[in-house]
Amino acid sequence: MRLLESNLLLCGLLMMSVSATAAGEAPVKTPGRYLFPSDYMADPSAHVFDGKIYIYPSHDWDSPVNDADGNHFDMKDYHVFSIDGDFLTGNVVDHGVIFSVDDVPWASRQLWAADAACKDGKYYHYFTARDKEGVFRIGVAVADSPVGPFKVHPLPIAGTYSIDPAVYEENGEYFIYFGGLGGGQLQKYRDNVYDADADLPAKNEPSLPPRVARLADDMVTLAEDPKPVMILDAAGNPLAEGDKHRFYEASWLHKYNGKYYFSYSTGNSHTLSYAIGDSPYGPFTYSGEILTPVVGWTTHHSVLEHDGKWWLVCHDSQPSGGLSRLRSMKVFPLSYRADGTIVTIDGGK
Ligand code: FUB
């Protein structure tokens, strides 16, 4: 056998054994930590700024609103948290309300998931709310410190739509990801234009992709039109709407060993899943589940490295006895296999 052939065979055997092990493995049951047991906070976006962990969640409360269109997520304000130390043992500090829906001139209700970014000593809080017509938009607030005070920009970010902003920075360029199906309204957009008649594709058709755009230098406008974030199967085809691992909401991007990991919630199949690519724009190839279903309908997450360890920060509804509208922030240690795939965590359902 020639050297090239024997190397290819060896490579193939190694890949088979890695994927066989991964496919046969049970999700790991790992002790997580509820980060703030005294109140309900969801959609935790965590970052390390100047060596310290900050978390930008949404703030659930026991709203009487209850229907199937996500209106029971009726949040009215945002808090910021920091951690003195590491995720598992550090003291979690609530810095209080940073702004409320009454501080957002264009918004009517439902302050959904948010994220934050730092550029040149300024902190930008990207958030979701319904405008006065009930359409979800993405806004931004700016501060000189990671915990505020934040000044809300008077208008939503032109060109964005739907929900769940997440910002990824690399080499001074900032990319904003967004979109969410169902109550998040992404199914109402085609080619970045709202179409009241548009809806979800059929189960055998390509699923609807989340969007990404580079932020302009001012961090409050887009530098380009949003582009679709393609999530492909191993054969290079977009995941179909009927695929239980298709994108639903909760975009997040991180980088590990030179590869880009786009992770997201699969919504009605209740997993956090991920896809790997070679550029922040994608395309990304579906690579597995990060978290199996949790107690409660939604989960939403961030993935980050702190002090050389990797973490999954997410939420579930276990502490509220399974009430989907009352969710609690949680953190799990995250690990990778030698081939770069993520070891799936048992969500506890
Ligand atoms: O928290 C309200 C919405 O629920 C979020 O925007 C979604 O990601 C889901 O977690």
Side-chain angles (χ1 to χ4, degrees), residues 42-43 58 60 73 75 112-113 128 163-164 249-250 298-300 315 327:
D43 309 320
S58 50
D60 285 351
F73 301 121
M75 298 83 105
W112 281 16
T128 312
I163 61 167
D164 289 0
E249 62 188 3
T298 72
T299 187
H300 181 132
H315 70 235
R327 302 163 293 176

Side-chain angles (χ1 to χ4, degrees), residues 18-48:
V18 167
S19 54
T21 311
E25 270 172 19
V28 62
K29 285 188 197 291
T30 178
R33 176 192 184 192
Y34 285 105
L35 288 164
F36 196 63
S38 58
D39 201 352
Y40 296 109
M41 302 278 163
D43 309 320
S45 294
H47 288 274
V48 176

Side-chain angles (χ1 to χ4, degrees), residues 161-208:
Y161 47 89
S162 191
I163 61 167
D164 289 0
V167 176
Y168 173 76
E169 183 269 335
E170 185 166 280
N171 299 327
E173 291 197 310
Y174 292 76
F175 301 87
I176 185 166
Y177 298 80
F178 59 90
L181 299 176
Q185 305 175 341
L186 183 63
Q187 68 278 10
K188 294 286 173 201
Y189 290 82
R190 295 291 186 274
D191 298 326
N192 297 327
V193 175
Y194 186 85
D195 175 355
D197 295 329
D199 212 335
L200 289 173
K203 297 277 183 221
N204 62 344
E205 290 178 347
S207 53
L208 295 177

Side-chain angles (χ1 to χ4, degrees), residues 30-33 35 44 46 48 53 83 85-90 252 254 263 290 301-314 330-336 342 345:
T30 178
R33 176 192 184 192
L35 288 164
V48 176
I53 300 164
I83 302 186
D86 69 37
F87 268 116
L88 289 184
T89 60
W252 188 262
H254 76 274
S263 49
I290 302 178
H301 69 297
S302 43
V303 174
L304 75 164
E305 188 179 18
H306 179 246
D307 277 350
K309 298 190 189 98
W310 282 90
W311 303 95
L312 173 71
V313 191
C314 57
K330 192 170 190 180
V331 64
F332 292 105
L334 184 84
S335 56
Y336 300 84
I342 291 175
I345 298 167

Side-chain angles (χ1 to χ4, degrees), residues 202-222:
K203 297 277 183 221
N204 62 344
E205 290 178 347
S207 53
L208 295 177
R211 311 291 200 264
V212 59
R214 200 162 49 77
L215 284 161
D217 285 346
D218 64 10
M219 297 291 277
V220 299
T221 55
L222 300 186

